[in-house]
Amino acid sequence: MSKDFILPLGCASGRLNVSWLQSAGRRVSLLPRLLLVALFVLCTSLPAVAAEKVYRVGVTAFRDKSVTVREWGPTMDFLSAQIPGARFEVVPLNLPGFEAALSRRELDFVVTNPQHYIVMETRYGVSRIATLVKQENGRMVNQFGGVIFTRSDRHEIKRLQDLRDLRIAAVDRTSFAGFLLQYDIFERAGIDLDEDCHVQFLGFPQDLVVKAVLEGRADAGFVRTGVLEAMASEGHMTLSQVRILNSVGNTEFPFMISTELFPEWPLATAPHVPIEITNRVAAALLLMPPDSPAARSARYHRWSTPLEYQRVQAVMRRHAIYPYDQREPIALADVLREYAFHLLGGVVVFTLSLGVLYVRTNRLNMELQSSRQKLSEMAHTDALTGLPNRNLLDDRLALALAHARRSHERIAVCLIDLDRFKPINDTWGHEVGDEVLREVASRLEAVLREGDTVARWGGDEFVLLLDGLNTDRQLEEIMQRVLDSIAADLTACPGGHVSASIGVSLYPVDAHDATLLLKHADAAMYQAKREGGGRFVVYSEDMA
């Protein structure tokens, strides 16, 4: 009986020998036939499963590894959904673990602190493709720093100098925000941590440092910005239990901090990852909706194009940290004597292959420049209308608010929703609807002033950002031009008409930050809808 159930070799490639199955079917009962069919389905499904490529993403676990998996898992699920045929897995690691995993090519992407990234860039050729942007207390943050703290009841500890001969807890000597930044502060204050204090390294997670200080096993501690606030929000402590030393009064930064600020963590790709996958990962992250479920789980807001890390490199140079550590000089004569044969062979090979290498390098550079240009356009431009998208609007609104705070000028955020657009889509179809949206976008660009911004918010909604509004009359004139322009006859849809309901929120009258300005503009827009559309409404407190 067992011989009747051996599938032919062709099944391994997903094809079944039909004549064999018919012959076998005549010799077996109904149950074996069902088993044959089940085995065939299993064989044909195996290639599809094997085709899925798994990409491992190493993430520095500066807190508990299980917390890292829970927080970053949704980001991996988002990437898996955006890139067919690929599955992304989070691999929580401490800093030494990265070295071993990368040397064995067990990681495809890495998310880690800037100092560690620079080391891995030098040793393993990883390359950054995006930088984290966080949002705390309504503010977008793409920087971080270090914290020096003690217990609030240690009244004798008020300055850094008071920590001489005392116990200090930190995670690891290689931790950028958990040791090096604080070490740099102490050195500039004339204190040598290695000689003047008793430093104890407790390892990750950084929660161990906080517990050691609160339980009196250490007199002070070093952690990354945000750790204390995160532990307080989780109920592990209260912020009143600690006091910050060398506190930096930065009203624009939402966390307690003792050092200067440095660019946030990058996501980098290993050199063996195909450029097509690298580009698709970068594009997916840059186009991830702000404050999406995946972003909220990992405590960030969105991703931006990769930042530069010169300030990080400057700190590493000051302390001679690899790859900026001092190297012993090597005598040229010793090199020539030891490697003369190898050098000669290298010169010959280099000379023969120079032309080929030049052509290949030139082609790769052109492909890379083209890829970067496409990524930049995808990250900041709406594909349908060519207008700025939400990412670019966020950046321009942040710049406009900073300028308005210095110049004491008013700015307006106007949220536009098209009236009677749905009947056009339902009657003439989505292609005509898309043409109408492009025509409206073109009209809005034509009637605004130079320096104003129009962006597509999504669907049939647009956002206007108006600078330097000196009078209410000026705002009314601009709004009327916008309403008249949208209400004009449509070229893309003869006989169809749309109008606009516009909600306006003013800085500094209605709100002082981007999140509230957009929220108030949305409330005013719905009020305009309730009043019949084809008008603009300025936000007032009774709409809250």
Side-chain angles (χ1 to χ4, degrees):
M1 176 67 71
S2 61
K3 293 181 180 180
D4 293 336
F5 289 91
I6 299 175
L7 289 178
L9 185 60
C11 182
S13 63
R15 298 186 297 272
L16 183 63
N17 190 316
V18 177
S19 62
W20 176 88
L21 180 59
Q22 291 173 343
S23 173
R26 288 192 294 268
R27 289 180 283 128
V28 297
S29 61
L30 177 61
L31 179 58
R33 291 186 186 187
L34 293 176
L35 290 174
L36 288 173
V37 173
L39 286 172
F40 170 63
V41 172
L42 177 61
C43 287
T44 56
S45 65
L46 283 176
V49 173
E52 185 178 59
K53 172 66 176 175
V54 177
Y55 294 94
R56 292 165 58 85
V57 183
V59 180
T60 296
F62 69 89
R63 298 191 64 195
D64 187 79
K65 289 186 177 181
S66 62
V67 173
T68 302
V69 172
R70 184 176 68 248
E71 291 181 346
W72 284 90
T75 299
M76 303 302 108
D77 295 339
F78 172 82
L79 289 175
S80 301
Q82 296 295 312
I83 304 176
R87 178 163 57 87
F88 293 80
E89 294 181 351
V90 59
V91 182
L93 295 167
N94 55 24
L95 299 182
F98 270 100
E99 302 284 334
L102 281 170
S103 65
R104 296 192 296 265
R105 292 170 60 108
E106 293 175 351
L107 295 179
D108 303 293
F109 297 89
V110 296
V111 181
T112 188
N113 73 62
Q115 177 197 348
H116 195 217
Y117 161 73
I118 292 171
V119 172
M120 291 190 296
E121 181 183 55
T122 303
R123 285 182 176 168
Y124 304 105
V126 302
S127 178
R128 63 189 183 278
I129 60 176
T131 297
L132 276 176
V133 177
K134 296 189 175 183
Q135 186 179 50
E136 299 291 343
N137 301 327
R139 298 172 183 170
M140 285 183 290
V141 180
N142 61 357
Q143 300 181 95
F144 73 102
V147 180
I148 307 168
F149 70 100
T150 186
R151 266 187 5 196
S152 57
D153 60 359
R154 297 294 300 270
H155 302 296
E156 75 279 15
I157 303 176
K158 298 179 181 179
R159 305 173 304 154
L160 300 182
Q161 288 75 7
D162 297 332
L163 292 174
R164 291 182 185 272
D165 297 323
L166 297 184
R167 301 164 300 169
I168 298 176
V171 285
D172 188 273
R173 182 173 289 274
T174 62
S175 175
F176 184 70
F179 182 74
L180 180 58
L181 294 184
Q182 294 87 340
Y183 187 95
D184 188 57
I185 292 293
F186 273 80
E187 184 177 80
R188 284 188 275 175
I191 304 172
D192 186 338
L193 281 177
D194 297 317
E195 297 292 333
D196 301 333
C197 303
H198 305 285
V199 181
Q200 43 190 302
F201 297 107
L202 305 181
F204 289 92
Q206 296 194 33
D207 304 41
L208 298 176
V209 173
V210 180
K211 292 177 182 178
V213 174
L214 295 180
E215 294 171 3
R217 291 182 283 110
D219 301 298
F222 300 161
V223 292
R224 185 191 197 272
T225 51
V227 170
L228 295 174
E229 288 84 354
M231 292 184 65
S233 68
E234 294 166 3
H236 300 307
M237 58 167 289
T238 63
L239 295 179
S240 61
Q241 292 179 271
V242 298
R243 185 172 70 257
I244 308 303
L245 301 178
N246 198 58
S247 177
V248 177
N250 190 331
T251 59
E252 296 298 320
F253 191 68
F255 297 123
M256 297 181 290
I257 184 170
S258 302
T259 69
E260 61 181 305
L261 292 170
F262 295 84
E264 261 292 358
W265 287 19
L267 181 139
T269 178
H272 64 266
V273 178
I275 189 171
E276 294 83 4
I277 294 297
T278 296
N279 287 346
R280 295 176 73 179
V281 168
L285 292 177
L286 292 174
L287 294 174
M288 176 187 287
D291 206 26
S292 66
R296 288 198 300 272
S297 175
R299 301 174 184 269
Y300 62 84
H301 180 61
R302 62 180 176 87
W303 294 85
S304 73
T305 50
L307 299 180
E308 300 295 333
Y309 293 93
Q310 288 91 342
R311 280 181 289 167
V312 179
Q313 294 168 337
V315 175
M316 297 173 70
R317 283 192 175 94
R318 280 203 297 271
H319 297 280
I321 295 174
Y322 180 87
Y324 307 108
D325 50 340
Q326 183 68 36
R327 293 182 174 87
E328 295 184 3
I330 301 176
L332 179 60
D334 294 339
V335 174
L336 293 175
R337 183 170 55 252
E338 183 72 20
Y339 300 104
F341 178 78
H342 301 85
L343 290 172
L344 179 61
V347 169
V348 172
V349 172
F350 175 78
T351 303
L352 293 175
S353 60
L354 183 60
V356 175
L357 290 176
Y358 174 79
V359 173
R360 179 174 175 80
T361 301
N362 188 58
R363 189 187 71 220
L364 290 175
N365 283 337
M366 293 177 63
E367 291 177 356
L368 182 59
Q369 291 175 4
S370 176
S371 297
R372 287 179 173 173
Q373 179 64 28
K374 290 178 181 178
L375 283 175
S376 179
E377 292 174 0
M378 292 169 64
H380 298 99
T381 305
D382 175 58
L384 177 64
T385 63
L387 294 177
N389 61 11
R390 287 194 179 194
N391 287 338
L392 185 53
L393 177 65
D394 286 343
D395 293 339
R396 290 190 180 179
L397 182 51
L399 290 174
L401 285 172
H403 175 74
R405 292 187 185 105
R406 293 192 300 269
S407 61
H408 305 291
E409 291 183 347
R410 294 196 313 173
I411 64 173
V413 174
C414 311
L415 182 59
I416 300 175
D417 185 88
L418 298 183
D419 306 320
R420 300 190 300 276
F421 177 75
K422 187 176 183 302
I424 291 178
N425 255 349
D426 295 342
T427 304
W428 282 280
H430 290 287
E431 290 185 0
V432 174
D434 289 347
E435 286 297 325
V436 170
L437 291 177
R438 281 191 282 265
E439 184 173 349
V440 170
S442 178
R443 292 181 181 183
L444 289 173
E445 287 184 305
V447 299
L448 290 185
R449 304 167 304 170
E450 184 178 358
D452 291 338
T453 295
V454 53
R456 188 181 179 203
W457 189 247
D460 60 342
E461 292 183 332
F462 299 84
V463 172
L464 307 182
L465 175 58
L466 310 179
D467 288 321
L469 293 174
N470 300 319
T471 65
D472 292 340
R473 179 65 178 170
Q474 191 177 17
L475 173 63
E476 293 172 4
E477 290 175 354
I478 296 174
M479 290 296 96
Q480 193 58 52
R481 289 204 307 270
V482 170
L483 290 169
D484 293 342
S485 174
I486 294 176
D489 292 341
L490 293 170
T491 304
C493 180
H497 293 85
V498 293
S499 59
S501 295
I502 307 176
V504 181
S505 179
L506 297 172
Y507 168 90
V509 179
D510 302 325
H512 289 79
D513 64 71
T515 302
L516 280 179
L517 283 169
L518 288 166
K519 180 180 179 181
H520 290 170
D522 186 67
M525 183 271 289
Y526 277 105
Q527 180 62 34
K529 284 279 190 187
R530 286 190 290 267
E531 294 179 9
R535 68 192 66 214
F536 75 94
V537 172
V538 179
Y539 174 81
S540 60
E541 291 184 356
D542 58 357
M543 298 178 191

